[in-house]
Amino acid sequence: MVEPRVGWLPLDECWLGLTMKQSLWGARTASNKVVVMSATLLVVSLLLSMTDEDLSVALHPSGWWTLVIFTLAFAVAHLFVFHVEYRREAITYTMTELPMAFALLYCGLGKAIVARVVGGVLVLVVKHRPGMVKLLFNGSLFVFETVLCYAIFHVLIGEERGNGVQPIVGVLIALLVTAAVDAFLVSTVISFFEPGQWRRARTEMASMAVVSTVSGIAATLAAALSLAWPHLTILGLVPIAAVWNLERNHGRTAQRLRDFEALHQLSRSVSSSLHTEEIASGSISEIRNLLRSERAAILLFDPTSGAVSLAASTGEAFEGLPTTVHDPRWRAFAAAPEALLIELSVFQTLGIPLATSGGNVIVAPISADDVAIGLMLVAERGGSTGRYDAGDVLRADAIADRLGLALRNAQLHAQIEQEAWRDALTGVPSRTAIERILDDELDGSPDDHQLVGVMLIGLDRFRDVNAAFGHQFGDRVLVEFTARLLKAVDNRGVVGRVAGDEFVVVYEVADSEESTALAHDLALVVQMPYHIDGVDVSVAVSIGLLEATRGAAEGPVLLRQANQALEWAKRHHDGVVRFRAEIEGDAAERLLLLADLRVALDHRELDVHFQPKVDLVTGAVVGAEALVRWEHPTRGSIPPLDFIELAEAAGLIGALTDQVITKSVAAIRLCNDLGYQLKVAVNLSTLDLLDEGLVDRVRRALRTEGVPADQLTLEITETALLADGPKALLTATALQRLGVQLSIDDFGTGFSSLSYLRMLPAHELKIDRSFITNVVTEDRDEVIVRSTIDLGHTLGLRVTAEGVEDDATLVHLAGLGCDLAQGFGISRPLPFNRFIAWLANSGFPVARNEWAIDRDAAAMATQREAFLKIR
């Protein structure tokens, strides 16, 4: 008879091996159901046996010795079985149809029951050692199927007791009906222990119907042969052997198809996600089913630290495993090229207390692209055996390969996500992540009590810190800045980094006053000095902020408006600025102004004004500073800081500088033609000094006008010098070789680097107006100015003071030894034609060319006397 059974697993007294460890109450309840069913089968068997007295009489009576033969026949049928494993269970196929077919013809019911039960139970006890519940059910099932088979057979043959066709048909029908009922009963018991088993049982019963039919027909043919030619009964073994081989091949094919289907299902499961946790948790049950395991675990290695973490597990937990891949106990497993079949004694030898109920363990390394990703542990095999074999190891390798590819893709995806969603330096969310967070915050129903706030924080002149101390130093400041910001915000909001020196905070507040108070609190914390490598650095911040109601705004719009408020705060030095319509209008105006600036540059509409520079020793005008001016056709005069900033941001500063240099060199030539020997200074932007084409353009301008290079001075701020020290030095050195004079502008206002100052081929040092304004009245300013003059002279540089507003300051600077001066106290910047007129009428002597000195000697003497009287 074909007996569908689930392979034995030693789990308490549950006869069939559960798909998962049930709770104690659930196991007891299922076992109780099995006991009740067993008792019911025995009662039904008793009632059936009492319905017909002929059941105890054999169709062809035989001697007592046939009891021994049939007992041995049933035992042999149970010994030589094959299994078709499904997940962690096994459907066991036996050829009990053969002895049962002969028993129907040659044994009475009582003798058949004894032979069936003794032969079957004896093999179960000796070979499988089942629990009492399993033994009880199998014994009662053996009795029931024997009685049922006999009852059906005797109903079908009626009064026929000969060797005709009717008994043979009766045997076949009885075997097939009994096999179908038997499969139904086994599937019912399985459903007690495993929810959803009925769906699987329908598929299995269809497969068993085919096998049962073939086995039943073969057994019936052998029995029929014994009735026709008793001496040729032995020939019946030939079709029986053929049928048995056919069934075994069918079972193996079915097994391979099931394994392939399960492996395909696993592949689909692990490839459906790009997240490590989902892959591990989604595949662990498939691994358990495919390898018919009661316990399974996926361990992952941290690629940085090598720590071993449990990603997913099922069944009883594995205790006492090494926690790092560098542990010597793990190395052999982690470095293995394929799955290993390990006996429990090996783990005990290694000092790993891997407690299992028996059998062996599969340890499969999970890797991809030569990267060790983790390990897969599988223990306590179910199904037909309690031990893993070579076929299981091959399946484990195939599973590990698919897991390795999926987990490696997940790691790479996580790395990409980390780079996309997290700032690499500070670890806080990036702009992309903040936009998503902000959208999530805004995507909700309006809340009358809470607003969503956006605060954009920018570090003022942070590039000066990078310039003075290097980018690595600046990065450390940013990291410390982030730590302070996170601590100050705490759990009130989310901190992100949206640009190099710009951070954002997304938070909830009750009103705008609370938001403003938070901004001021944060500013106080982050602006405290940073002590790094023995250097104290202070950074100021500007903050733009606004709030919005949920459901009434969009994240990108809020970030744009916060950025506009931040830019306003930076330009106007307002600290904390709340977004308002005026600011958005200003941003639009700046865009329009930028468009007009492009047109002005294209049509060379920018003008250059000249502010005279006086030699404080001779009193003569020896040069001028060229200052760009823009007279807009409709807006009027545009402040230089406004459009120069726009030009730098839009990449137009190179074109602007070129026009100023060209017009300044042309002015020098005209002054030379008029007999004046003047030097003209032009301001360079930070970006100009980093422009590799600057030197060639300056050379071309000088050559075109025929002006000596030493009459052109290029003024460089400290920030420009230090933004990219090596590159700035290369450009400055090339200009010096060209013969152009170099001046360090606004000295003392930035993060000065004396090492760069020492190496730079400069000719002049300009003291910023902030120190000159109060040099007469403030002792500290005088000390700074005097020290700067002494430093410049020590370095062999001439020193120029800018921002001179009156004669007293002029005289005081001359007394301090300053070389040159410029400012409103001498003259405001003038258009070139007015500058020429001023030279002739200012009363200051003017440096002249040699051919003009003799002609104007008398006039110059008179002017010098007047200047000396002022001093």
Side-chain angles (χ1 to χ4, degrees):
M1 167 159 304
V2 178
E3 296 181 358
R5 309 207 204 291
V6 175
W8 175 80
L9 283 176
L11 298 177
D12 301 321
E13 294 182 348
C14 299
W15 70 277
L16 67 162
L18 310 180
T19 58
M20 62 179 67
K21 294 275 189 176
Q22 303 289 335
S23 66
L24 182 60
W25 172 254
R28 286 180 177 176
T29 301
S31 297
N32 291 338
K33 290 180 180 180
V34 174
V35 171
V36 172
M37 177 173 280
S38 301
T40 302
L41 292 177
L42 291 175
V43 171
V44 172
S45 300
L46 178 62
L47 294 176
L48 283 175
S49 66
M50 296 171 60
T51 59
D52 190 350
E53 294 180 357
D54 292 338
L55 295 179
S56 61
V57 180
L59 187 64
H60 299 283
S62 57
W64 62 268
W65 50 269
T66 57
L67 175 62
V68 176
I69 293 175
F70 281 114
T71 300
L72 292 176
F74 279 112
V76 170
H78 279 282
L79 278 174
F80 295 98
V81 301
F82 71 90
H83 310 277
V84 174
E85 294 181 310
Y86 185 86
R87 299 193 177 183
R88 292 176 313 283
E89 300 135 16
I91 306 302
T92 302
Y93 290 88
T94 68
M95 278 299 292
T96 53
E97 291 93 346
L98 181 62
M100 182 62 72
F102 280 90
L104 288 173
L105 297 176
Y106 299 106
C107 281
L109 177 61
K111 189 186 296 185
I113 290 175
V114 173
R116 179 76 179 88
V117 173
V118 172
V121 170
L122 181 64
V123 172
L124 286 177
V125 171
V126 174
K127 187 176 182 180
H128 300 295
R129 299 179 182 178
M132 290 303 298
V133 174
K134 176 181 178 180
L135 192 61
L136 174 62
F137 177 78
N138 278 277
S140 62
L141 185 62
F142 294 160
V143 172
F144 173 75
E145 67 185 17
T146 304
V147 174
L148 178 63
C149 196
Y150 266 78
I152 295 172
F153 174 70
H154 279 269
V155 168
L156 292 175
I157 66 173
E159 298 298 327
E160 176 65 36
R161 289 292 186 269
N163 295 339
V165 175
Q166 191 170 349
I168 301 303
V169 174
V171 170
L172 177 59
I173 294 177
L175 292 176
L176 296 182
V177 173
T178 302
V181 174
D182 188 48
F184 173 80
L185 292 174
V186 171
S187 297
T188 300
V189 173
I190 292 175
S191 69
F192 294 162
F193 294 89
E194 186 172 345
Q197 188 63 29
W198 273 112
R199 180 181 301 174
R200 204 272 301 175
R202 289 196 296 269
T203 302
E204 292 305 316
M205 289 176 67
S207 175
M208 287 184 286
V210 176
V211 177
S212 300
T213 301
V214 175
S215 300
I217 292 173
T220 303
L221 289 176
L225 187 63
S226 71
L227 290 177
W229 301 286
H231 299 292
L232 297 178
T233 302
I234 192 66
L235 296 178
L237 295 178
V238 176
I240 295 298
V243 169
W244 186 249
N245 185 64
L246 177 64
E247 289 181 344
R248 290 188 64 182
N249 290 336
H250 168 78
R252 290 171 179 172
T253 302
Q255 184 72 70
R256 285 194 293 269
L257 290 176
R258 284 197 178 92
D259 289 346
F260 178 78
E261 178 186 358
L263 190 59
H264 180 63
Q265 177 62 35
L266 174 68
S267 299
R268 288 190 299 178
S269 175
V270 300
S271 63
S272 62
S273 174
L274 285 174
H275 298 285
T276 302
E277 296 79 7
E278 292 181 1
I279 292 172
S281 60
S283 62
I284 191 67
S285 60
E286 296 294 336
I287 292 171
R288 185 181 180 189
N289 291 332
L290 187 59
L291 294 175
R292 302 168 184 93
S293 165
E294 283 301 315
R295 298 172 66 187
I298 297 175
L299 308 175
L300 297 182
F301 305 149
D302 186 282
T304 304
S305 64
V308 178
S309 61
L310 180 65
S313 66
T314 182
E316 187 177 345
F318 291 96
E319 302 291 346
L321 298 178
T323 57
T324 172
V325 72
H326 305 301
D327 191 307
R329 296 174 294 174
W330 256 167
R331 287 177 184 170
F333 302 128
E338 57 187 16
L340 301 174
L341 191 59
I342 309 296
E343 296 295 332
L344 293 179
S345 59
V346 175
F347 286 98
Q348 296 170 357
T349 303
L350 291 174
I352 302 177
L354 193 64
T356 69
S357 62
N360 46 14
V361 179
I362 292 178
V363 180
I366 302 173
S367 62
D369 300 332
D370 297 327
V371 176
I373 299 174
L375 291 173
M376 181 177 69
L377 267 64
V378 184
E380 296 185 10
R381 192 190 195 284
S384 58
T385 68
R387 293 178 60 81
Y388 294 104
D389 57 22
D392 295 318
V393 173
L394 291 176
R395 281 191 289 270
D397 262 332
I399 294 171
D401 287 343
R402 285 158 175 79
L403 273 179
L405 290 175
L407 291 171
R408 182 57 178 163
N409 289 337
Q411 286 182 347
L412 295 175
H413 178 73
Q415 181 179 345
I416 293 172
E417 277 195 332
Q418 174 71 17
E419 294 174 356
W421 303 110
R422 289 280 171 181
D423 177 62
L425 176 65
T426 62
V428 297
S430 64
R431 183 184 187 91
T432 304
I434 285 293
E435 288 176 349
R436 176 175 291 185
I437 292 171
L438 184 55
D439 285 338
D440 291 342
E441 285 291 324
L442 293 171
D443 186 17
S445 57
D447 188 343
D448 295 335
H449 303 291
Q450 292 293 321
L451 301 174
V452 177
V454 179
M455 185 186 306
L456 206 60
I457 306 172
L459 282 70
D460 296 338
R461 298 188 65 183
F462 184 72
R463 63 183 181 182
D464 291 354
V465 176
N466 284 331
F469 304 107
H471 288 281
Q472 290 184 346
F473 185 95
D475 287 346
R476 294 180 62 182
V477 173
L478 289 176
V479 171
E480 176 62 26
F481 179 92
T482 305
R484 290 189 188 181
L485 193 57
L486 287 169
K487 185 176 181 180
V489 173
D490 196 19
N491 59 354
R492 291 183 289 180
V494 178
V495 175
R497 185 184 181 198
V498 296
D501 58 359
E502 292 183 2
F503 293 78
V504 65
V505 182
V506 178
Y507 53 96
E508 286 187 348
V509 286
D511 50 41
S512 59
E513 287 76 13
E514 182 182 349
S515 182
T516 302
L518 175 62
H520 286 290
D521 290 344
L522 296 181
L524 287 176
V525 172
V526 299
Q527 290 182 140
M528 295 176 64
Y530 294 83
H531 185 75
I532 298 176
D533 291 341
V535 178
D536 287 329
V537 178
S538 297
V539 293
V541 296
S542 298
I543 299 177
L545 75 161
L546 73 160
E547 304 82 30
T549 304
R550 285 186 174 86
E554 297 180 354
V557 175
L558 292 185
L559 285 174
R560 174 173 56 81
Q561 292 174 339
N563 186 69
Q564 291 172 351
L566 172 63
E567 292 301 322
W568 179 282
K570 285 187 173 183
R571 278 200 314 277
H572 297 85
H573 307 288
D574 286 346
V576 178
V577 172
R578 178 176 301 282
F579 175 80
R580 54 188 185 273
E582 173 191 353
I583 292 176
E584 189 162 32
D586 177 72
E589 284 295 310
R590 286 171 61 81
L591 289 177
L592 294 175
L593 188 63
L594 177 58
D596 292 342
L597 178 59
R598 292 181 186 275
V599 174
L601 287 172
D602 291 340
H603 293 81
R604 304 184 65 82
E605 295 175 355
L606 299 184
D607 197 6
V608 177
H609 289 195
F610 298 87
Q611 185 174 40
K613 297 170 70 173
V614 174
D615 187 323
L616 294 180
V617 176
T618 65
V621 176
V622 294
E625 181 177 359
L627 300 169
V628 64
R629 295 292 184 264
W630 182 19
E631 192 69 23
H632 193 279
T634 59
R635 301 171 184 265
S637 181
I638 307 296
L641 288 179
D642 289 352
F643 66 83
I644 289 176
E645 179 185 283
L646 279 178
E648 288 181 331
L652 301 176
I653 192 64
L656 188 152
T657 302
D658 286 349
Q659 288 196 20
V660 175
I661 290 177
T662 300
K663 293 186 177 184
S664 298
V665 172
I668 295 173
R669 182 183 60 79
L670 290 174
C671 287
N672 289 342
D673 292 344
L674 295 173
Y676 298 117
Q677 184 65 32
L678 301 178
K679 298 179 184 292
V680 174
V682 176
N683 290 285
L684 292 183
S685 165
T686 302
L687 301 177
D688 289 326
L689 199 59
L690 304 179
D691 184 352
E692 295 179 354
L694 175 66
V695 178
D696 289 336
R697 294 197 298 274
V698 171
R699 181 186 292 110
R700 190 180 307 115
L702 293 171
R703 185 179 300 160
T704 300
E705 298 294 340
V707 172
D710 61 356
Q711 284 191 266
L712 177 65
T713 299
L714 297 179
E715 296 187 359
I716 307 165
T717 62
E718 293 179 71
T719 302
L721 283 174
L722 302 175
D724 187 338
K727 195 169 184 178
L729 284 175
L730 286 175
T731 304
T733 302
L735 290 171
Q736 187 265 345
R737 290 174 181 171
L738 183 63
V740 172
Q741 303 279 295
L742 294 180
S743 174
I744 301 175
D745 195 14
D746 299 334
F747 185 79
T749 59
F751 296 91
S752 303
S753 173
L754 294 181
S755 61
Y756 277 121
L757 186 62
R758 174 177 57 83
M759 292 185 294
L760 185 74
H763 305 85
E764 181 182 61
L765 199 66
K766 295 188 71 174
I767 305 175
D768 187 70
R769 68 179 65 247
S770 60
F771 302 109
I772 300 300
T773 302
N774 299 314
V775 68
V776 176
T777 58
E778 294 290 339
D779 292 340
R780 288 178 178 272
D781 287 349
E782 182 182 358
V783 170
I784 292 174
V785 171
R786 178 185 290 111
S787 300
T788 304
I789 293 171
D790 291 341
L791 173 64
H793 288 164
T794 301
L795 294 173
L797 306 176
R798 62 177 179 270
V799 180
T800 299
E802 56 183 354
V804 176
E805 302 290 337
D806 51 47
D807 291 342
T809 302
L810 195 68
V811 172
H812 194 72
L813 289 170
L816 294 176
C818 187
D819 301 308
L820 304 173
Q822 68 181 85
F824 286 2
I826 299 172
S827 173
R828 292 178 175 272
L830 303 170
F832 182 71
N833 58 342
R834 291 180 55 191
F835 172 69
I836 295 299
W838 182 88
L839 290 176
N841 302 299
S842 65
F844 286 94
V846 181
R848 309 283 285 179
N849 291 321
E850 293 182 1
W851 59 267
I853 291 176
D854 295 337
R855 185 188 65 186
D856 298 333
M860 290 181 64
T862 303
Q863 291 173 349
R864 175 168 174 76
E865 290 177 1
F867 179 71
L868 292 175
K869 289 180 180 179
I870 296 175
R871 296 183 62 185

